[in-house]
Structures are given as structure tokens and as C-alpha cells.
Amino acid sequence: MTKMKKASQICQSKLPDNTALKQQQLPAYRLQLSATGVLSGFFATGAFCLGVGIILILSAKSIKEIEIKYTKICANCAELREDAINFDKECTCSIPFYLSETMQGNVYLYYKLYGFYQNLYRYILSRSNSQLVGTDLKDVGNCAPFSKSHNGTPIAPCGAIANSIFNDTIILSYNLNSSIHMEVPMLRSGITWWTDKYVKFRNPTAINLSSAFTGTAKPPFWSKSVYELDLEDTENNGFLNDDFIVWMRTAAFPTFKKLYRRLNRVQYFIEGLPAGNYSFNITYNFPVTRFKGEKSVVLSTLTWSGGSSLFLGLAYTVTGAVTWLAAFSMMAIHLMLKEKRTLFIER
């Protein structure tokens, strides 16, 4: 009896406390949805998505954008760049165009590439993050075949992404009249993501930047070292160079555009880009014809919803339309069943 009593006490000690929570006796609410409530929710969701989609589409349509493909226009330069022997020969071309409407507000200059696959797995991995944050310039383990120069010196920045940087120079000129041609003032800073500029990319600590990169070599396809990218602005030099950072953020699709410059709204351009005659003066360096690619330059404004892409607006619109279609289908089925039930009761 004593053993049975002790066993009973042990079993009772393992029982949960007699509380509403531990005994699973908390009050619960079982949601009972009516046909009216469900249909109202579907119609409201559809109306919301359709409204947002239409607003986004109208916003994207209001953007002013002009794109000029210049691979064929600069065919002589493209042909020159196909031969690696001519890497040190400069080739420029001028592309005049007419802007029929004023581009008001902030104006952004992009370069756009067609058929360039930055999304290849090995290409994406071909970089050294410890190099790019300035902690270890000798870490080139993931960068082959662009890890070391022919004499064994570590390359900085190493890897295929850095080596293939877009290096065309694009200058926009405004023809005020037949005799006055002026360069449109553009800002080369403030074109990167904040986290890239101040977290993911840092220069190594040193008295001056050139000494920080002592013992490293420039990438094979570069014409100058990384510490010479912008000698006029120390905050835009080395790994902190905005053009370099923008290029290092790889694109998901083979056709993509990247921000190159933004309009400095001073003098004649306070309100934006006025209508008139312009020209792009391009120093052609980046070869694309070998892989059957193309290059273009894009001038665009932006709105609160972003760029000129219609994808988000169309996605909302299609979602709203499908939701309404489902709501009407369910309503039709509900009315049919209700009518059958009424007839059955009457009989």
C-alpha cells in the first residue's frame, strides 16, 4: 500500500497545474464566415488592388524617358575595341539628339547593357569581400583567374566582376544656340545604396590611398589603379568610388541599366533639362559586339513610385482582376445553391 501511495504521489506531481492555460480551458473564438462577409472581403481586396495598380501605371506613364542605343552608331569604335591590341587607343563618338519636351525635376543618366549576363554563378562569386571592406588586400582566394598578376602580385580589386567594369565615359552637352555649346553639369556622387557606400565597401586604413594599395596590382582590363579612379574627390576614390560600387552590385537579368550620373540643377538646369538640342559625347571603351550585346544611354525622370517599369502596376491590376473574377464566380455559385435550397424547401 505504501508503494502504491508513493507511485500515486509521483504521478500526481507530474500532472500540469490546474490552471486555465495549462488545462487548455482558455476561452476561444471560432470564426464563422458568412457568404456575405467572404464576398465583401474579396470585392474589397480586388478594388484595392485595381486602384493601386491603376495609380502605379499612371505614375509610371508620367515619367519622361529617352533611350539611345549607340553600339551601331559608334560602329567604328566598336570595331576598334574588338582587337585587344588597340586597348590604349582612345575612340570617341558624338550622338546629337533633340529633346522635344522639358524633363522637369531631377533627371538621371543611366547606361544600359543588352545581353550581358551578370547573373552567372561563378561570375557572382568572383570577388573578395574582405578586400572590398579594406581588411585584407591579399585575400584573393575566390577571384581566379583574376586573382594575381603575371608576376604573382595580388590584384585589387580582384575577380571577374571588378575586372569587367563598365568604363565608357559619357558626357551630355547642351546646345544653347548655334554658337554656344555647354556641358550639362552632372553629379557623380550619391548614386549608390547607402549600405553599399558606408558598410559593404571601405578603403584600407593608411595615410594616403596609394600607399594603402602598395603591393597590389590593378585588374588586367583596367587602364589605371583603383586609387586613381577619382583624384579630385578623396571620398569618391578607391573602393568608395560610386561607379565601381554601382557596377559591383550585380544585375539579375541580362538586360539591365545602372545609374551613371544625376543632374546638378544649377544655372540653366534649375528646373530640369529644358527642351532643345543635345548631344552625347562618348569615349568608347567597353566592348560588347563580341558577345552580340548592345549598349545604350538613358535619360529619365523618376516619380514617388520609382522608374518607368510597369511590372508592379500590372501585377496589382492582374491580382485585382483575378480577385474580382473569383468573387463573381463564388457569388454565382452561392446564388445557384441558395436557389436550389429554396426550391427544395418549397417542395
Side-chain angles (χ1 to χ4, degrees):
M1 290 292 292
T2 305
K3 289 183 178 180
M4 292 178 63
K5 189 176 181 180
K6 286 183 178 180
S8 176
Q9 289 176 351
I10 292 172
C11 290
Q12 288 179 0
S13 66
K14 293 182 178 180
L15 292 175
D17 296 336
N18 189 23
T19 61
L21 175 63
K22 294 188 176 181
Q23 295 296 334
Q24 298 184 10
Q25 295 176 347
L26 290 173
Y29 176 75
R30 180 178 294 176
L31 187 62
Q32 296 180 347
L33 296 173
S34 64
T36 305
V38 172
L39 290 174
S40 299
F42 268 78
F43 278 117
T45 303
F48 172 78
C49 290
L50 283 173
V52 173
I54 292 171
I55 291 172
L56 289 174
I57 290 174
L58 292 176
S59 176
K61 288 288 187 179
S62 68
I63 290 175
K64 291 183 175 63
E65 183 176 287
I66 180 171
E67 177 181 354
I68 299 175
K69 294 183 178 181
Y70 64 91
T71 307
K72 294 181 180 178
I73 298 176
C74 304
N76 293 334
C77 292
E79 185 178 353
L80 181 72
R81 284 289 168 261
E82 289 307 306
D83 192 344
I85 299 176
N86 302 319
F87 76 95
D88 58 341
K89 296 180 180 179
E90 186 175 289
C91 187
T92 60
C93 65
S94 181
I95 308 171
F97 66 97
Y98 180 72
L99 192 62
S100 59
E101 293 182 88
T102 299
M103 302 181 76
Q104 293 185 342
N106 294 323
V107 181
Y108 301 88
L109 175 62
Y110 300 84
Y111 59 85
K112 190 172 183 178
L113 295 180
Y114 293 83
F116 191 95
Y117 290 82
Q118 272 198 319
N119 55 359
L120 293 176
Y121 182 68
R122 291 186 63 186
Y123 182 88
I124 293 174
L125 294 180
S126 186
R127 59 188 290 165
S128 172
N129 289 323
S130 60
Q131 246 195 11
L132 298 176
V133 294
T135 56
D136 186 5
L137 295 181
K138 302 297 190 295
D139 181 15
V140 294
N142 295 328
C143 297
F146 304 105
S147 55
K148 295 183 179 181
S149 63
H150 63 280
N151 59 3
T153 306
I155 294 174
C158 69
I161 308 176
N163 186 61
S164 61
I165 189 172
F166 182 84
N167 56 350
D168 283 4
T169 302
I170 305 171
I171 297 174
L172 178 62
S173 298
Y174 175 50
N175 304 331
L176 190 60
N177 52 49
S178 59
S179 58
I180 301 178
H181 306 274
M182 58 188 303
E183 182 179 332
V184 177
M186 289 286 183
L187 297 172
R188 62 175 62 190
S189 60
I191 61 175
T192 64
W193 290 24
W194 187 91
T195 51
D196 287 347
K197 182 78 172 181
Y198 298 101
V199 178
K200 296 183 179 180
F201 292 83
R202 308 301 301 164
N203 280 324
T205 304
I207 299 175
N208 59 71
L209 205 56
S210 59
S211 62
F213 286 96
T214 301
T216 64
K218 66 179 180 63
F221 292 174
W222 285 31
S223 60
K224 53 188 174 183
S225 299
V226 65
Y227 54 84
E228 299 174 321
L229 293 179
D230 191 349
L231 298 176
E232 298 177 0
D233 184 2
T234 56
E235 296 298 320
N236 191 42
N237 202 9
F239 291 151
L240 294 179
N241 181 261
D242 281 30
D243 291 331
F244 172 68
I245 294 174
V246 168
W247 179 258
M248 292 298 290
R249 178 171 284 277
T250 53
F253 300 101
T255 297
F256 59 88
K257 66 180 181 181
K258 291 179 180 284
L259 186 57
Y260 182 71
R261 297 290 182 266
R262 56 192 181 94
L263 178 65
N264 187 10
R265 296 170 63 180
V266 295
Q267 298 176 345
Y268 294 99
F269 310 99
I270 294 176
E271 300 297 326
L273 281 182
N277 293 303
Y278 291 84
S279 62
F280 284 117
N281 300 308
I282 299 173
T283 303
Y284 197 108
N285 295 311
F286 192 83
V288 293
T289 53
R290 181 170 294 179
F291 57 86
K292 298 180 180 179
E294 282 190 274
K295 296 185 291 186
S296 69
V297 59
V298 180
L299 279 173
S300 177
T301 58
L302 294 180
T303 64
W304 61 271
S305 61
S308 61
S309 174
L310 298 174
F311 174 78
L312 191 58
L314 291 175
Y316 268 100
T317 304
V318 171
T319 302
V322 171
T323 304
W324 267 21
L325 181 62
F328 279 115
S329 301
M330 288 189 294
M331 185 173 66
I333 294 171
H334 171 66
L335 292 176
M336 289 171 58
L337 293 176
K338 186 176 181 181
E339 185 178 351
K340 287 182 179 180
R341 191 181 302 113
T342 303
L343 292 172
F344 179 77
I345 294 173
E346 290 178 352
R347 289 179 184 177

